[in-house]
Amino acid sequence: MLAGKRILLVIGGGIAAYKSLLLIRLLKGAGAAVTPVLTRAGAEFVTPLSVSALAGEKVHQALFDLTDEAEMGHIQLSRVADLVVVAPATADLMAKLATGRAEDLASTLLLATDTPVLMAPAMNVRMWQHPATQRNLAMLLADGVRLVGPDQGEMACGEFGPGRMAEPEAILAAIEAALSDGPLKGRHVLVTSGPTHEPIDPVRYIANRSSGAQGTAIAAALRDLGAEVTFVSGPASVPPPAGVRVVRVETAQQMLAAVQAALPADAAVMAAAVADWRVANQGAQKMKKDGSGRAPALEFAENPDILATVSKAAARPRLVVGFAAETEHVVDHATAKRARKGCDWIVANDVSPQTGIMGGSENAVVLISDAGAESWPRMGKDQVAKKLALRIAEALQNS
Ligand code: CTP
């Protein structure tokens, strides 16, 4: 599966470093070559000898190693691999890459490399949840770093929660996915997802019940087929998928700007539940009750239609897919919507409360295209996403 591939494996300083020894064995078993890099802290947990014995190669440790610099140098070392894997990725290594620091061999390689990076974080749960680590994580994801784990569970330090390094088998699977030559390899796909929040005043906003689950699943499915995904998301309740470029927005106007900045793309999937209206007389300060018992008179302005704008943009993606959230006459309304907005396909669904689709884990959709309306059976949002991603891959191959 990984025959002919070379992995540059950076082993950071954490108790999980012992699992990286097993990962090396799995990688070798799958046919990959492993160039190991051990940080100073990593060498406190596993010995250079065990790492190089398992990898069957010299372990690189120092930035200024005269022999290394004479042989190939740290820059070349960063280029030899098909994928750079950081396991365990400590809070420190994540912080270094997020802020672009290059002060030892591992951080310099991460900054100098032109190959994709996969991180397997491992740290104490409080360190993982610390806003600083979460900020760094958001930056790394936005830069396109892929992530595997961390898992939730009992930790070596005795605490419980997210922060445990993914198991070596899961890391191997993530490496195989990252290196797979999927049908969307080399394609850029833009996905919008989640609700938008339209402020009333600095503390209140108008929103909708979209969780972002369907858009997130679509972005992950497209990524799994090899696409480079830009994921523009409103304030969703599910976390964004790993390994995609994440752009976070709040309002419809910000979403439009982010979408336009992300073009050109081969395809666009607009799964966001964009608010149709924003408050035109938004308060600069919190709106106070005036004692009269009268409700404030909110005035509304229509938001830009992002799907319609992209459908007629000069840099229009070859395939533009919209969604239609309807509560009645689903096919008729969605067919009219497709024509009105100028997109190629509409994925229509019935979001009446009794269907449990909005905020739920399942979806029942009708795909409306040139060829007419095609009903898909009710299935998990993940399966809808996979089926749609395959259809997108087919359409891009045929066009
Ligand atoms: N959409 C958009 N920008 C908007 C409103 C909607 O890009 N301002 C996109 C959604 O992401 C979705 C599609 O348009 O792909 C349809 O969204 P939907 O809410 O079903 O339609 P509306 O435009 O709100 O139409 P209506 O009010 O008639 O249902």
Side-chain angles (χ1 to χ4, degrees), residues 51-282:
V51 173
S52 65
L54 287 169
E57 293 195 21
K58 171 187 162 126
V59 56
H60 301 266
Q61 290 182 273
L63 179 54
F64 300 111
D65 178 321
L66 277 183
T67 336
D68 271 2
E69 291 306 313
E71 278 170 3
M72 64 166 154
H74 59 271
I75 299 294
Q76 275 145 295
L77 186 58
S78 76
R79 306 285 160 82
V80 296
D82 299 288
L83 183 71
V84 178
V85 177
V86 188
T90 58
D92 180 59
L93 276 171
M94 289 176 65
K96 280 181 177 141
L97 183 58
T99 50
R101 294 177 71 172
E103 53 191 16
D104 55 16
L105 181 61
S107 53
T108 305
L109 290 176
L110 286 169
L111 202 60
T113 192
D114 56 359
T115 54
V117 175
L118 172 74
M119 284 191 157
M123 67 198 73
N124 167 272
V125 55
R126 299 264 172 263
M127 291 172 76
W128 174 253
Q129 286 169 343
H130 195 285
T133 305
Q134 291 301 309
R135 252 192 329 266
N136 290 335
L137 174 67
M139 274 196 276
L140 292 170
L141 291 176
D143 289 345
V145 169
R146 288 169 178 250
L147 206 71
V148 51
D151 289 351
Q152 176 130 339
E154 190 89 37
M155 312 188 78
C157 54
E159 291 187 45
F160 185 90
R164 223 167 69 155
M165 189 168 90
E167 293 304 322
E169 291 77 10
I171 301 177
L172 178 69
I175 291 171
E176 286 174 341
L179 290 175
S180 81
D181 285 331
L184 286 174
K185 195 179 170 75
R187 307 285 195 191
H188 176 211
V189 186
L190 174 63
V191 178
T192 68
S193 181
T196 62
H197 284 184
E198 306 297 332
I200 296 171
D201 64 22
V203 294
R204 305 182 180 98
Y205 55 82
I206 294 173
N208 60 62
R209 295 185 195 280
S210 164
S211 63
Q214 187 63 83
T216 300
I218 291 168
L222 291 163
R223 171 206 64 198
D224 288 347
L225 294 185
E228 207 185 292
V229 178
T230 301
F231 184 68
V232 180
S233 175
S237 51
V238 300
V244 303
R245 187 169 300 112
V246 183
V247 185
R248 290 173 201 273
V249 297
E250 249 184 50
T251 66
Q253 286 177 308
Q254 290 166 358
M255 187 173 273
L256 174 63
V259 161
Q260 284 172 324
L263 292 175
D266 296 287
V269 183
M270 307 301 214
V274 185
D276 291 328
W277 305 95
R278 66 176 178 278
V279 178
N281 57 341
Q282 205 186 111

Side-chain angles (χ1 to χ4, degrees), residues 342-365:
C343 57
D344 302 297
W345 300 351
I346 283 266
V347 181
N349 54 13
D350 185 344
V351 292
S352 322
Q354 67 274 15
T355 64
I357 284 173
M358 211 150 189
S361 61
E362 292 192 333
N363 209 349
V365 308

